[in-house]
């Protein structure tokens, strides 16, 4: 069988029909056999009632007539059809809509990811969300940057620390490049999460209180930097170069796993000395 490039309208129609026909009417308190029930699963009328839309709308969707349902309608259909989280995401993609919870960033670390951060020792590692809130970290990362446990939660943000905490301003040897790349990421996140009031407030704080941030923000650079190199000054071990990698888990795409590795032999030795302390 030859698979052609996806026609999202037709695939949306087929997907809705397939999921409707898989449902057992008895799970909804409906009789499995009615005189007029000629098809398996739920009727279109029943799905329409469960989703709070018109029957004609469901018919047109299932016939692939080019409708583009709103995010609210997609959510209602997902609930009516009892879709799994993966099926729900697929339906939103077909409808070219963003799930409403995509604008609700993670504020706590997913427990499996928090354990993974700890298990990555002796490599420094931490977990952040799209606005650079630090959700979890291991001891190596705390010794390399700073003891996050001593900070109020509102200050556990990588960009806030870089810009607003005086002793952190001298950590990065090439500070402007690091800040520029961070701003390019924040602008990308800002566009992708337009309802994230906390992110907007954070950017407002930065532009108000940091002239460098305001200047670089106005340049409108866009970049998602998932891999690179940073050179840092540490008060105890001196200059250290690290390679960083940013990974996004499939199950928790709003959480980003950041892993540091020494970039050269001298930096490996420096990290060993830091761990020994």
């Amino acid at each position: 069988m030859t698979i052609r490039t996806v026609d999202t309208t037709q695939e949306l129609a087929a997907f809705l029909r397939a999921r409707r026909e898989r449902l057992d009417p008895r799970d909804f308190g409906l009789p499995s056999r009615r005189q007029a029930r000629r098809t398996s699963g739920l009727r279109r009328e029943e799905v329409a009632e469960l989703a709070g839309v018109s029957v004609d709308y469901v018919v047109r969707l299932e016939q692939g007539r080019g409708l583009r349902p709103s995010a609210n309608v997609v959510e209602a259909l997902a609930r009516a059809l009892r879709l799994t989280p993966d099926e729900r995401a697929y339906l939103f993609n077909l409808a070219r809509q963003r799930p409403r919870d995509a604008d609700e960033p993670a504020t706590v670390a997913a427990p499996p990811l928090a354990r993974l951060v700890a298990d990555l020792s002796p490599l420094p590692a931490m977990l952040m969300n799209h606005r650079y809130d630090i959700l979890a970290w291991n001891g190596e990362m705390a010794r390399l940057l700073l003891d996050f446990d001593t900070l109020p939660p509102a200050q556990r943000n990588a960009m806030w620390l870089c810009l607003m905490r005086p002793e952190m301003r001298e950590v990065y040897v090439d500070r402007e490049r690091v800040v520029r790349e961070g701003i390019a990421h924040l602008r990308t996140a800002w566009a992708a999460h337009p309802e994230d009031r906390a992110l907007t407030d954070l950017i407002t704080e930065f532009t108000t209180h940091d002239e460098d941030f305001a200047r670089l923000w106005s340049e409108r650079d866009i970049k998602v930097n998932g891999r690179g190199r940073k050179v840092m000054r540490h008060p105890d071990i001196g200059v250290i170069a690290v390679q960083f990698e940013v990974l996004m888990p499939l199950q928790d795409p709003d959480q980003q796993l950041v892993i540091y590795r020494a970039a050269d032999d001298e930096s490996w030795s420096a990290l060993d000395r830091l761990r020994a302390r």
Side-chain angles (χ1 to χ4, degrees), residues 3-29:
I3 302 296
R4 298 181 177 87
T5 302
V6 64
D7 180 330
T8 54
T9 299
Q10 294 303 316
E11 177 59 18
L12 174 64
F15 184 68
L16 289 173
R17 290 195 304 271
R19 289 302 174 270
R20 174 174 61 81
E21 291 169 0
R22 284 188 182 187
L23 295 174
D24 189 335
R26 291 172 297 183
D27 292 337
F28 296 82

Side-chain angles (χ1 to χ4, degrees), residues 140 143-145 232-242 266-277:
E140 286 78 7
R143 285 190 286 273
L144 181 61
L145 293 179
M232 298 180 286
R233 303 181 186 92
H234 192 279
D236 297 323
I237 59 175
V239 175
I240 179 171
V242 297
E266 290 183 2
S267 297
W268 274 115
S269 297
L271 280 178
D272 286 339
R273 293 197 306 273
L274 186 61
R275 284 192 292 269
R277 296 173 66 91

Side-chain angles (χ1 to χ4, degrees), residues 9 23 37 41 46 48 80 91 111 146 204 209 215 227 245 252 270:
T9 299
L23 295 174
R37 191 178 290 278
E46 291 162 344
L91 183 63
L146 101 133
T204 300
H209 294 97
R215 171 176 56 84
R227 178 180 295 132
E245 193 79 28
D252 299 281

